[in-house]
Amino acid sequence: MAGVTTTSCTIPPFKQPLPLSKPHPHPRLHFPTSATTRGCRITCRYGGGGGGNYSRQGDTRRSKQSSDDDPALDISSIRSSTVRLIDEEQNMVGVVSKSAAIQMAEDAELDLVILSPEADPPVVKLMDYNKYKYEQQKKKRDQQKKSSASRVDLKELKMGYNIDVHDYTVRLKAAQKFLKDGDKVKLIVSLKGRENEFKNNAIELIRRFRDDVGELAVEESKNFRDRNMTLVLVPNKAVIQKEAPKKKEKTTGTETQVSASV
């Protein structure tokens, strides 16, 4: 699809080797000096096939484009002699001959991109294809960032029914942090073997944990039937959003006080 033309290319003839003072063991072999190829310039033309391509000399950005592998730029694949053309301003030009569309792309130094090859006639558009693909990739990256930011992870915290005070406090602080970060928290209290006799203690522990978390979370589900008893908490967005400005105000006030004392 990308045609290649060579211009201003001058290759001088090989120079004859100088005579040797001593006879060479192979007198029939002569090694010419390297040819000078300065002034040889190669330009690639994009936008379609069949001589309707346009040229941008020295445009390294477009020279890196793999147009041969992109069917959207393979105008030669269109068998129809006419196409429905859309210009770079999104205006419908109408049905024109394929050669006229290629000529318009060449005059505007834009790509002629196939939008609907199966339509009758096929729909094509004038555009800067590299810029279009860059914008599409940027939109995709932005959407991925938004989806990852809005994604809610499930954090699991495990403890025994007879957990000590220190370990309990560590898990409680971890749960509060996870909830403030917007993640769910799943508390798991496992009973093994004869520990099932202390099931009431485990239930009391889970309810205590729920109360200590406070308004940061809303209970989503719980299961006290199995040996692995669970409690799932989701962030209370209304409370978390209210606390965020308070923290900011406290930080600002501290900074003001320090700067004033200095």
Side-chain angles (χ1 to χ4, degrees):
M1 173 179 172
V4 179
T5 60
T6 305
T7 60
S8 303
C9 184
T10 305
I11 302 177
F14 293 131
K15 296 180 180 181
Q16 294 296 329
L18 297 175
L20 300 175
S21 58
K22 295 182 180 181
H24 195 276
H26 300 285
R28 294 184 180 180
L29 297 178
H30 298 286
F31 299 93
T33 58
S34 59
T36 303
T37 59
R38 295 180 180 177
C40 183
R41 182 175 55 192
I42 297 177
T43 59
C44 295
R45 309 176 68 181
Y46 297 89
N53 310 323
Y54 69 89
S55 170
R56 286 193 180 184
Q57 298 174 358
D59 192 341
T60 56
R61 177 177 63 86
R62 286 185 176 268
S63 64
K64 293 179 182 179
Q65 179 183 359
S66 180
S67 60
D68 290 335
D69 298 332
D70 199 329
L73 295 176
D74 189 8
I75 303 300
S76 61
S77 64
I78 295 179
R79 302 303 180 187
S80 174
S81 60
T82 59
V83 293
R84 189 175 301 276
L85 180 64
I86 303 173
D87 65 13
E88 65 274 21
E89 301 296 333
Q90 304 290 339
N91 298 320
M92 177 64 71
V93 177
V95 178
V96 299
S97 65
K98 185 170 72 171
S99 59
I102 293 173
Q103 185 63 48
M104 291 177 66
E106 182 177 355
D107 293 341
E109 293 189 346
L110 293 172
D111 296 302
L112 188 59
V113 181
I114 305 173
L115 299 183
S116 301
E118 303 299 330
D120 185 20
V123 181
V124 298
K125 183 180 179 181
L126 300 176
M127 69 170 71
D128 186 332
Y129 194 54
N130 276 352
K131 182 179 179 181
Y132 169 77
K133 290 199 297 184
Y134 171 77
E135 291 175 350
Q136 293 298 312
Q137 292 173 356
K138 186 178 179 181
K139 288 181 181 179
K140 186 177 180 180
R141 289 194 298 266
D142 292 341
Q143 290 175 354
Q144 290 175 346
K145 287 181 181 179
K146 289 180 181 179
S147 62
S148 61
S150 60
R151 183 182 61 192
V152 178
D153 293 330
L154 180 63
K155 307 292 185 179
E156 291 187 353
L157 296 174
K158 296 181 179 181
M159 63 176 71
Y161 76 96
N162 56 349
I163 188 172
D164 59 42
V165 176
H166 176 266
D167 291 341
Y168 177 85
T169 304
V170 170
R171 285 162 176 75
L172 178 61
K173 290 181 178 179
Q176 292 170 339
K177 180 182 181 301
F178 293 147
L179 291 167
K180 291 177 181 178
D181 291 341
D183 298 325
K184 292 183 179 181
V185 173
K186 183 177 182 180
L187 178 66
I188 303 174
V189 178
S190 300
L191 299 175
K192 300 177 182 179
R194 294 183 179 180
E195 291 180 353
N196 195 44
E197 298 175 2
F198 302 96
K199 187 173 184 178
N200 292 334
N201 294 5
I203 295 174
E204 184 180 351
L205 176 66
I206 293 175
R207 288 173 176 170
R208 175 189 166 192
F209 188 87
R210 172 68 186 86
D211 294 338
D212 289 343
V213 169
E215 296 181 349
L216 281 178
V218 177
E219 183 178 306
E220 183 182 66
S221 63
K222 61 184 177 182
N223 179 16
F224 295 164
R225 300 175 184 175
D226 302 330
R227 288 182 175 269
N228 293 329
M229 292 182 286
T230 61
L231 172 68
V232 178
L233 302 174
V234 297
N236 189 343
K237 295 182 179 180
V239 175
I240 293 174
Q241 289 175 355
K242 286 181 181 179
E243 288 193 356
K246 290 182 181 180
K247 289 185 177 181
K248 193 173 183 180
E249 289 174 4
K250 289 181 180 179
T251 306
T252 307
T254 306
E255 290 176 353
T256 305
Q257 185 176 2
V258 172
S259 61
S261 62
V262 173

